[in-house]
Amino acid sequence: MDENAQTNAATGEAPTGETGMPEWEQRFRAPRVGLPEWAEDAPEKSLFVSNVTGTFELYAWDRATGEQRQATDRPNGTTDGTLTPDGEWIWWFSDTDGDEFGVWLRQPFAGATAGQDQPATPGLEASYPAGLALGRDGTAVVGRSTDDEGTSIHVVPPGGEPWVVYRHRESAGVGDVSYDGGLLAIEHTEHGDAMHSALKVAVLGGTSGEVVAELDDTEGGTKELGLEVLGFAPAAGDARLLIGHQRRGRWEPAIWHPVEGEFTDLRLDLPGDVSAQWYPDATGLLIAHTYQARSELYRYDLASGGLTRLDTPPGTVSGATARPDGSVEFHWSSAAEPPAVRNDRGEVVLQPPGMKPPASRPVEDVWVDGPGGKIHALVQRPTSAGTSAGAGDGSGGDSADGPYPTIFEIHGGPTWHDSDAFAAGPAAWLDHGFAVVRVNYRGSTGYGRDWTDALKHRVGLIELEDIGAVRQWAVESGLADPEKLVLSGGSWGGYLTLLGLGVQPDDWTLGLAAVPVADYVTAYHDEMEALKAMDRTLLGGTPEEVPERFAASSPLTYVDRVKAPVYISAGVNDPRCPIRQVENYVERLQQRGHPHEVYRYDAGHGSLVVEERIKQLRLELDFALKHLGLQALPDHRG
């Protein structure tokens, strides 16, 4: 094996490829593409996200000619966009430096010169987005959220004045508009439980917004059953609405006819969470099945009830779409294999240019007994010689038994889960000789409704119990060196990192927290309105109503107990984990003279700029290697 492919946790040197660039940096810099969206009535026109310029932006793709062009170009990137049904226009959301507060703009699919993007919804002021649906007649339905007004949904007719079809203080969002534009589906949480939505269907004709049907599984005092809009049937005169429900303790699809009142429950014999979308001819459903951190696709035939598995490799499908020709395109990856946009015919649909990202290490499934049941963790080990799998065939190779310096990478959300999917961050730690452990703690999705809902009222503390149980397994099994244990995460994972350093001060050698909640009370008062609603649901009220719960769940409460060095990165424009509450926590560390470093950057809740992401991970690696007594990284920046 080439000596340049060697890495050593004692020196901090990572493997390099033929470019001379460390492989961990190659994984970030390698161009990637997202799953293309296609216009409903012009499927040859597509829109996708790519980082080919070094910043994630939107790209238009004319499949008939093969032409691709960059549609947006902003210093901090753009990822939120869609196509009108006729494919003539690209809509994209324009905020300021990642603050998520802005307006919808549009440009012709064929292209606009610089500065020619035009306001898509004249008369509507800037807000946080709360969904968007575009009708075939040019009508737009725009969801808005503001701190002063809560959620409002506006109908913007072509050439007409916007009017309000829905307004409420609690969080809500646009679900979908029917094929003929006559009906609007709305997800709402008027009952006050932001984790479990109910549904309304309203008439779009005229300006009345009359509600013609409602579906609420939280009625009768039960606030544990949520619903979601999956889409109206893609056929003229067909008012059937595909929805998701949790009536049997997990997500499953059903078909609801809001006008006729019919409800068809689809009982699919699959053990995990099931989502669905219509095939374009409305004769079948594309089923996405997620189970134990992996996913697969099926076609469900509505006439026969037959369920046919599509050909997808083991790993994670992060998005899929059924095309008018009957093919299915999907975005796939595994922990070891980089992402690709494929179809069920075995073809690569969209190939980014330039260098390819090196492969990484496969994951092992570990199940650990915890206070709330079996906890699923995903474990990756470095190779026996500390080599990167990217230098070989990506099949994994041999691993030493450990113990290794080990990083617990805690996922955000909390209503999310880690999966067997490719991620450049964990792969970088593997390259530097670390084992990586990811924990799907209580609060995570993908393991049933009860597991997701379990963290209420003891927010943060429940998750840490599960993380602590997996930590104990990692040490006792010989995987992890107890003197070199790193607790790390971003967003909710950053929150759990800071909380864990204070609640479990003897368990962790150091902590790395990105865009975290650090002072829960101040975070609540400064964050966007939709997240305030979520926090009221999780904690059972506001900081004034349940001060003891906010105090028990706030990292600031335990800051004086922290023993490990702390690294924090934060976006100064972040509306989700605002900067003021981070500064409050940092000030307390400073008052104690506690070892810490803080990196502030000019963006929101993370960055869409590749070099910025590399910089942030480099700073984390430098901090960890220094405080673990390992040599700092060599500088390959050039």
Side-chain angles (χ1 to χ4, degrees), residues 478-490:
L479 171 76
D481 182 344
E483 303 301 318
K484 294 181 175 62
L485 276 172
V486 182
L487 186 59
S488 176

Side-chain angles (χ1 to χ4, degrees), residues 487 493-503 513 516-518 555 562 566 568 585:
L487 186 59
Y495 157 64
L496 292 176
T497 294
L498 295 184
L499 188 67
L501 295 179
V503 173
V517 173
V562 173
V566 184
I568 298 175
Y585 187 91

